[in-house]
Amino acid sequence: MNARDPNLALQPDQATRLGNYAAGAWDDEIVPRLKTYIEVPAKSPMFDPQWQHNGYIDRVVRDAAAWVEGRKVGGLTLEVVRIEGRTPVIFFEVPATKPGCTQTVVMYGHLDKQPEFSGWRSDLGPWTPKLDGDKLYGRGGADDGYAVYASIAAIEALKEQGIAHPRIVGLIESCEESGSFDLPAYLDALKPRLGDVGLVVCLDSGAGNYGQLWLTTSLRGMVSGVLKVEILSEGVHSGDASGLVPSSFRIVRQLLDRLEDARSGHLLPESFHCQIPASRIEQTRATAAILRDEVWKRFPWACGADGATAVPTTTDPVEALLSRTWRPALSVVGAEGFPQIGDAGNVLRPYTAFKLSLRLPPLVDGHMAALRLKTLLEDNAPYNAKVTFHPDGRAGAFGATGWNAPDLAPWLERALNQASQAHFGAPCGFIGQGGTIPLMSMLQRGFPRAQMMVCGVLGSKSNAHGPNEFLHVPYGKRLTASVAQVIAACD
Ligand SMILES: [Zn+2]
């Protein structure tokens, strides 16, 4: 027996049926489709410059589009939109069934993937899907191949019970892991078809744990690019030249010292920092109280020299959360100009090149930061060495800007909590994420009044971008049901 409660957008039995529908859809359809998806090395164009010739991106886009169309969702129309020379976008549209509702819900996801990386468990691999208990392993399943499939399942879950919903459009891109440099052109072209966007559902983000629904409150921006220092035109005997010819590696160290305090990891230029809003610090305290040590313990720490494990920059959960979400940080993610260690003779190498990945706080402009970083690294080169920094992206659109969520509308806060209680038995959590989803700042600029439900399945140890990436299937099911429930509350 369920008492009808007028304060609930959905009654408990309706929420239960959403949950059951989502669970069935994952078992029968989404997991099998994702296994096929994981097998395709649909690397983002930055990691597969031959993507057009290789056809992998086209294949995952075609597979997803064919599946969506085959589902026969009432009123759904779909188009694979292609702008010459750019990665394709899936655009689908489902008319409103809620009377008088004029707003549109945009559902976003991406189908391109990060490259393989090393260190996969011997029974796993990036392109070999494996369902092991609750976890579906393989590259791209959780980031972010599931989004298009889960979005459709959420819509179907509503339609199955005849629950009214607003107009819904889907926007599934294939350039996200390259910084979405193709997306602005599509947003320009599709803007008239997006309509009056009231809610954006983005399923490309993370979760603090697997026990509740997590809303992402901010994302970092990013500048990535290649720093190269050339000192000689060819390598020479290190016994002959070292001490006289400056080491290109030492010059790189000097240049990075302009950017970062090597002892603390603190980024030196003030312009790469922003003020952290007081409300976000408040929210971070609440999140730290939920997650506590798990904030840093979830990483795969190495065993240190004395047998104790390696330690983070801070063990204070509040500082730990702020450092990974509201502060800039530099990572060196690739290198060139070095032989493999087994082939390394005593040679003074002619050049050193590093791929840099600089995460930026949510309120720092990515393009401006890219230009400032280029000047900082290239000006006044030590020893008059040839120093270049080539930021990723396209001219006029280097870097990606982060995002700080708009104030949460009361209806959305209520709907998120009701959905989290219904499907997880716990309230919704709020967390900043340190990753980057370029679309969010683009959409926020284009639709300043839209509310944003940014969520995802990337919880503890899911390890997107690294080895052993997995998707936590039970979380995916509950998230799908929660999305359906929130959409039902939107009007
Ligand atoms: Zn992603």
Side-chain angles (χ1 to χ4, degrees):
M1 288 285 287
N2 291 302
R4 298 276 124 180
D5 180 344
N7 294 317
L8 293 177
L10 288 187
Q11 298 304 320
D13 55 333
Q14 291 179 301
T16 303
R17 279 177 63 180
L18 290 182
N20 291 342
Y21 187 91
W26 271 84
D27 290 337
D28 299 343
E29 286 290 332
I30 300 180
V31 169
R33 295 284 75 73
L34 287 179
K35 284 182 174 171
T36 305
Y37 167 79
I38 286 168
E39 285 173 0
V40 186
K43 288 190 273 188
S44 202
M46 191 195 288
F47 312 109
D48 182 9
Q50 304 299 314
W51 66 269
Q52 279 172 299
H53 175 260
N54 289 333
Y56 298 128
I57 283 186
D58 260 314
R59 176 157 159 217
V60 292
V61 165
R62 274 202 317 271
D63 285 354
W67 180 83
V68 172
E69 289 191 305
R71 300 298 294 168
K72 307 264 181 266
V73 177
L76 182 143
T77 54
L78 179 146
E79 184 187 343
V80 177
V81 188
R82 293 173 192 275
I83 297 176
E84 180 62 28
R86 296 188 187 270
T87 48
V89 162
I90 295 176
F91 183 82
F92 66 78
E93 193 173 349
V94 184
T97 57
K98 195 174 259 192
C101 179
T102 58
Q103 299 219 301
T104 296
V105 177
V106 174
M107 304 189 86
Y108 167 81
H110 67 87
L111 287 164
D112 57 313
K113 307 183 187 187
Q114 282 277 320
E116 297 85 342
F117 207 73
S118 54
W120 289 77
R121 228 167 64 190
S122 61
D123 61 322
L124 302 174
W127 321 125
T128 47
K130 182 170 180 175
L131 184 63
D132 188 355
D134 284 342
K135 296 167 184 165
L136 176 59
Y137 287 92
R139 173 69 75 236
D143 178 15
D144 182 43
Y146 84 101
V148 57
Y149 298 97
S151 297
I152 293 296
I155 299 169
E156 288 179 337
L158 292 171
K159 291 201 174 285
E160 190 234 6
Q161 294 187 64
I163 298 172
H165 60 77
R167 177 173 177 268
I168 298 167
V169 303
L171 187 65
I172 309 297
E173 63 156 320
S174 51
C175 189
E176 199 275 344
E177 301 293 0
S178 304
S180 292
F181 56 72
D182 283 342
L183 194 57
Y186 284 103
L187 284 179
D188 282 349
L190 294 171
K191 189 155 192 216
R193 295 165 70 182
L194 292 180
D196 179 13
V197 177
L199 176 69
V200 177
V201 177
C202 167
L203 295 179
D204 188 27
S205 190
N209 58 34
Y210 296 113
Q212 59 204 107
L213 180 63
W214 286 91
L215 185 75
T216 301
T217 54
S218 64
L219 294 159
R220 284 195 288 191
M222 185 170 68
V223 174
S224 63
V226 176
L227 171 65
K228 185 172 185 182
V229 172
E230 293 171 77
I231 192 72
L232 294 171
S233 58
E234 60 185 16
V236 294
H237 191 307
S238 64
D240 184 22
S242 65
L244 174 60
V245 177
S247 148
S248 60
F249 182 78
R250 187 166 63 80
I251 295 172
V252 170
R253 287 173 60 193
Q254 281 187 38
L255 297 176
L256 294 183
D257 281 347
R258 297 174 177 180
L259 182 60
E260 179 195 51
D261 176 347
R263 292 178 65 87
S264 65
H266 177 78
L267 271 285
L268 298 172
E270 245 340 280
S271 63
F272 293 162
H273 294 257
C274 76
Q275 179 105 38
I276 308 175
S279 60
R280 292 291 176 238
I281 295 178
E282 193 102 336
Q283 248 169 12
T284 301
R285 288 207 183 96
T287 305
I290 298 171
L291 299 176
R292 292 178 295 196
D293 286 355
E294 188 55 22
V295 168
W296 58 271
K297 282 192 170 160
R298 66 194 178 89
F299 292 104
W301 299 100
C303 203
D306 58 359
T309 53
V311 295
T313 53
T314 174
T315 55
D316 177 296
V318 175
E319 283 303 300
L321 285 168
L322 292 175
S323 292
R324 63 180 281 281
T325 56
W326 278 92
R327 294 187 183 125
L330 177 69
S331 304
V332 176
V333 298
E336 254 176 36
F338 295 83
Q340 294 291 308
I341 285 174
D343 302 325
N346 295 312
V347 178
L348 195 142
R349 295 173 302 99
Y351 76 92
T352 296
F354 278 178
K355 173 91 185 255
L356 306 182
S357 165
L358 173 62
R359 296 284 179 180
L360 296 167
L363 303 178
V364 172
D365 184 88
H367 182 64
M368 295 305 295
L371 300 181
R372 278 196 297 266
L373 181 58
K374 185 174 171 65
T375 305
L376 181 84
L377 294 171
E378 288 184 350
D379 279 9
N380 302 314
Y383 304 104
N384 205 27
K386 183 177 177 189
V387 175
T388 54
F389 178 70
H390 290 300
D392 293 327
R394 295 199 174 189
F398 297 126
T401 301
W403 171 77
N404 183 34
D407 289 341
L408 196 56
W411 77 263
L412 182 55
E413 185 168 13
R414 201 162 49 238
L416 290 165
N417 269 312
Q418 287 174 359
S420 190
Q421 288 291 358
H423 302 291
F424 294 89
C428 182
F430 299 88
I431 192 168
Q433 293 292 352
T436 306
I437 308 173
L439 167 96
M440 295 314 301
S441 77
M442 296 178 201
L443 275 189
Q444 193 80 73
R445 274 197 302 270
F447 301 95
R449 288 186 327 208
Q451 288 285 296
M452 307 278 177
M453 180 185 181
V454 180
C455 296
V457 293
L458 301 177
S460 191
K461 304 214 160 32
S462 56
N463 219 23
H465 300 201
N468 311 323
E469 174 180 345
F470 71 74
L471 189 156
H472 191 277
V473 174
Y475 196 85
K477 292 174 176 176
R478 294 183 181 126
L479 176 59
T480 303
S482 301
V483 166
Q485 186 155 343
V486 169
I487 289 175
C490 173
D491 49 18

